[in-house]
């Protein structure tokens, strides 16, 4: 019997499926959908009665939400990979830096691998050369701007440090892919 200040919730895998689909549909974008799904996971985990924890029904509900979270993560990765591929081909360093900043290091690596896999051999080679040359030139400019041989001053050189970080990682990924 519940007290007056409590409610009980019943959640079956079918209801979880419906809720997940509705959550994804109502979300502004894939990132918001993922955040909502994670919040739903956390809410259920935090509020489930101890007697229901680890039961087949609980595991089934968790599985439904996790399935949608995995699919949403894959969609986010694909979106970032497509945007990164376009940015690389357009030589759009600010966009590359923005994608780099928005993702974890592993997320950026995964997006870069997906993006690079879309490139024809010529595009890959040209992009690798462009990234490597840009990083080399940026480093030279930052070194000259600092006044010290072992120090870099990107700010004085007029280069965004976030662009340099993103381009350096990207250059490594492109070069590694070329072999």
């Amino acid at each position: 019997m519940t007290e007056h200040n409590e409610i009980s919730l019943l959640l079956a895998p079918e209801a979880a499926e419906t809720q997940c689909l509705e959550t994804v549909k109502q979300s502004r974008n894939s990132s918001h959908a993922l955040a909502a799904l994670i919040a739903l996971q956390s809410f259920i985990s935090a509020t489930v009665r101890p007697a229901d924890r680890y039961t087949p029904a609980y595991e089934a509900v968790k599985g439904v939400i996790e399935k949608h979270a995995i699919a949403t993560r894959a969609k986010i990765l694909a979106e970032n990979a497509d945007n990164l591929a376009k940015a690389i081909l357009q030589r759009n360093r600010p966009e590359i830096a923005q994608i780099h900043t928005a993702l974890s290091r592993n997320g950026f690596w995964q997006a870069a691998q997906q993006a690079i896999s879309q490139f024809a051999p010529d595009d890959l080679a040209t992009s690798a050369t462009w990234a490597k040359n840009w990083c080399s030139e940026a480093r030279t400019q930052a070194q000259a701007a600092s006044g010290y041989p072992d120090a870099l001053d990107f700010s004085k050189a007029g280069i965004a440090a976030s662009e340099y970080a993103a381009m350096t990682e990207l250059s490594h990924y492109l070069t590694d892919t070329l072999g």
Side-chain angles (χ1 to χ4, degrees):
M1 184 160 116
T2 61
E3 296 180 25
H4 294 297
N5 62 350
E6 292 180 349
I7 62 169
S8 294
L9 302 174
L10 297 176
L11 185 58
E14 298 78 19
E17 178 71 26
T18 301
Q19 184 59 48
C20 288
L21 290 171
E22 203 51 38
T23 297
V24 170
K25 183 174 136 187
Q26 291 178 5
S27 295
R28 197 174 356 186
N29 59 41
S30 298
S31 294
H32 287 193
L34 181 59
L37 290 167
I38 291 170
L40 181 60
Q41 279 179 320
S42 297
F43 175 76
I44 291 169
S45 178
T47 59
V48 68
R49 293 182 307 183
D52 291 333
R53 194 173 297 274
Y54 308 114
T55 62
Y58 175 75
E59 295 298 327
V61 167
K62 272 182 37 180
V64 166
I65 299 168
E66 185 60 24
K67 172 188 78 168
H68 285 277
I70 288 169
T72 304
R73 281 185 189 98
K75 184 176 180 185
I76 291 169
L77 181 60
E79 289 168 354
N80 279 298
D82 289 344
N83 291 338
L84 185 57
K86 289 176 195 160
I88 294 167
L89 292 174
Q90 294 170 354
R91 309 296 186 244
N92 187 340
R93 292 185 322 274
E95 179 68 15
I96 293 167
Q98 184 176 349
I99 294 166
H100 180 262
T101 301
L103 298 173
S104 67
R105 187 172 192 155
N106 186 52
F108 185 72
W109 178 81
Q110 290 178 348
Q113 295 309 307
Q114 278 192 20
I116 292 168
S117 72
Q118 301 173 27
F119 289 2
D122 288 349
D123 288 334
L124 178 61
T126 303
S127 295
T129 300
W130 164 72
K132 184 177 179 180
N133 289 344
W134 186 88
C135 289
S136 178
E137 181 61 31
R139 183 173 177 76
T140 299
Q141 289 176 12
Q143 213 167 15
S146 78
Y148 298 97
D150 293 340
L152 303 174
D153 191 334
F154 291 105
S155 181
K156 272 188 181 176
I159 298 166
S162 60
E163 279 186 32
Y164 182 76
M167 290 296 295
T168 299
E169 282 193 42
L170 180 63
S171 179
H172 292 304
Y173 301 151
L174 288 164
T175 302
D176 288 349
T177 303
L178 275 176

